[in-house]
Amino acid sequence: MSGPVVGIVGAGAVGQTVATSLVTAGLPERLLVVSRQPSQVQGLCADLQDLAQTARSRSQVEAGEVADLHGCDAVVIALRTDFTNIAQRDIRRGGAAANAPALGALARELRGYGGTVLVVTNPVDLMARRFGEVSGCSRVFGIGSNLDSARYRLLLARYAQVSPELVRGHVIGEHGDRAVVCASTTTVGSRPIAVPVRTVVADLQQRPALIRGGIGRTRCGPAGAVLSTLRKALGLADGVEELSVPYGDVYLGIPLRFTGGEAVPSVPPLTRSERLCLDSAASSLRDAYAQLPALPERIAT
């Protein structure tokens, strides 16, 4: 086989949607599905195999174990432990205490892994840092700010009544309430635009609630972000993705320019206000990370 091998950890709602997107696009030649629930992973694999056949996809789908992930070109982490999110603010951080031990345990089993890791599990900036620090892997990216950026460009296109392809702009920082809109460098059709920042921020914060209220969990947007990022991280396409990576002593979202699979930070010029907001997000993430629980012995996927 000459195509990439991708592993996905987690067969819940988000993992299922990510896997479906990858198979539909035919991106991996092999897709390994890993989960602690054998019946769930076997059922998902069978369903994805049917999809591959009907969609004429080249992807071959099979169940795997954590040890098998070492042979993958990329690993997508979409695990979620069982918990009830009762947070009213910083909702994405609601799963930090529950998910961090599982991410850490998985990271220990993947120490020495040399491929690309995409973390989808929320709170993504904290979970990407936990995985990166424990595993020692050098290519760990958190999915989050690129979904925020995609939503930003879509919303701004609606305000300006133009095609989203004409909008260039980024949302950086934390994936959540402290996301930073880079309004000063946003353009429409290569021209600067007066961004209604307060309106945009309010809409960005309301959009996840709209999705959760209708279908229970955001899943399709993250799946698209994973698909787009994998193409670039695996060297199949060049371009920019906003991803959570080391930024000082924290992980947070910044634009990365991928060329031939290699990523270089491409942070746009920031105004003083934007810089202060980014520093505030970093400080909050630093404090939140210090509150994460210690690592357990068992792995949960």
Side-chain angles (χ1 to χ4, degrees), residues 27-218:
L27 186 147
E29 191 138 355
R30 289 178 62 215
L31 178 67
L32 272 64
V33 182
V34 176
S35 173
R36 61 173 175 160
Q37 302 181 39
S39 61
Q40 187 179 43
V41 74
Q42 292 294 341
L44 177 57
C45 285
D47 201 24
L48 291 171
Q49 290 162 0
D50 291 348
L51 170 62
Q53 178 63 26
T54 55
R56 304 294 190 270
S57 170
R58 71 169 182 170
S59 299
Q60 297 184 19
V61 184
E62 58 191 80
E65 303 293 337
V66 173
D68 301 325
L69 298 174
H70 285 274
C72 294
D73 298 293
V75 173
V76 180
I77 301 175
L79 65 81
R80 183 183 189 273
T81 53
D82 294 329
F83 69 93
T84 300
N85 193 343
I86 60 174
Q88 298 299 312
R89 297 185 58 189
D90 290 327
I91 292 174
R92 293 179 185 84
R93 289 189 185 179
N99 289 330
L103 263 291
L106 176 62
R108 286 186 301 186
E109 294 202 42
L110 286 179
R111 281 176 179 163
Y113 174 67
T116 296
V117 178
L118 301 187
V119 179
V120 184
T121 302
N122 271 323
V124 66
D125 303 289
L126 300 179
M127 298 302 100
R129 178 179 173 185
R130 168 57 62 92
F131 187 92
E133 290 187 351
V134 175
S135 70
C137 297
S138 61
R139 287 175 59 86
V140 178
F141 305 104
I143 298 294
S145 289
N146 51 354
L147 177 55
D148 292 331
S149 296
R151 289 169 171 167
Y152 171 54
R153 292 188 282 265
L154 177 63
L155 291 170
L156 197 56
R158 291 178 180 174
Y159 299 144
Q161 297 184 326
V162 299
S163 169
E165 285 71 26
L166 294 176
V167 180
R168 297 287 182 271
H170 308 284
V171 176
I172 62 176
E174 182 181 5
H175 178 49
D177 294 347
R178 294 170 188 80
V180 180
V181 174
C182 297
S184 64
T185 51
T186 297
T187 61
V188 173
S190 300
R191 296 184 178 184
I193 183 175
V195 178
V197 177
R198 290 186 179 180
T199 301
V200 168
V201 169
D203 285 349
L204 283 173
Q205 292 178 347
Q206 292 169 7
R207 195 169 182 84
L210 172 68
I211 295 170
R212 289 195 304 271
I215 61 174
R217 189 168 301 159
T218 301

Side-chain angles (χ1 to χ4, degrees), residues 187-301:
T187 61
V188 173
S190 300
R191 296 184 178 184
I193 183 175
V195 178
V197 177
R198 290 186 179 180
T199 301
V200 168
V201 169
D203 285 349
L204 283 173
Q205 292 178 347
Q206 292 169 7
R207 195 169 182 84
L210 172 68
I211 295 170
R212 289 195 304 271
I215 61 174
R217 189 168 301 159
T218 301
R219 58 194 80 183
C220 296
V226 168
L227 179 59
S228 181
T229 300
L230 274 179
R231 286 186 174 127
K232 297 176 180 66
L234 293 173
L236 305 176
D238 294 339
V240 175
E241 297 285 351
E242 298 83 4
L243 300 167
S244 188
V245 293
Y247 181 87
D249 61 347
V250 299
Y251 271 60
L252 53 71
I254 61 172
L256 299 176
R257 182 170 297 279
F258 285 87
T259 304
E262 297 301 317
V264 176
S266 183
V267 181
L270 302 176
T271 64
R272 181 176 182 275
S273 176
E274 292 166 348
R275 173 63 64 183
L276 288 173
C277 288
L278 186 62
D279 290 344
S280 176
S283 177
S284 180
L285 286 168
R286 187 178 302 113
D287 293 342
Y289 192 80
Q291 301 301 315
L292 293 183
L295 302 175
E297 290 301 320
R298 74 180 186 87
I299 179 173
T301 57

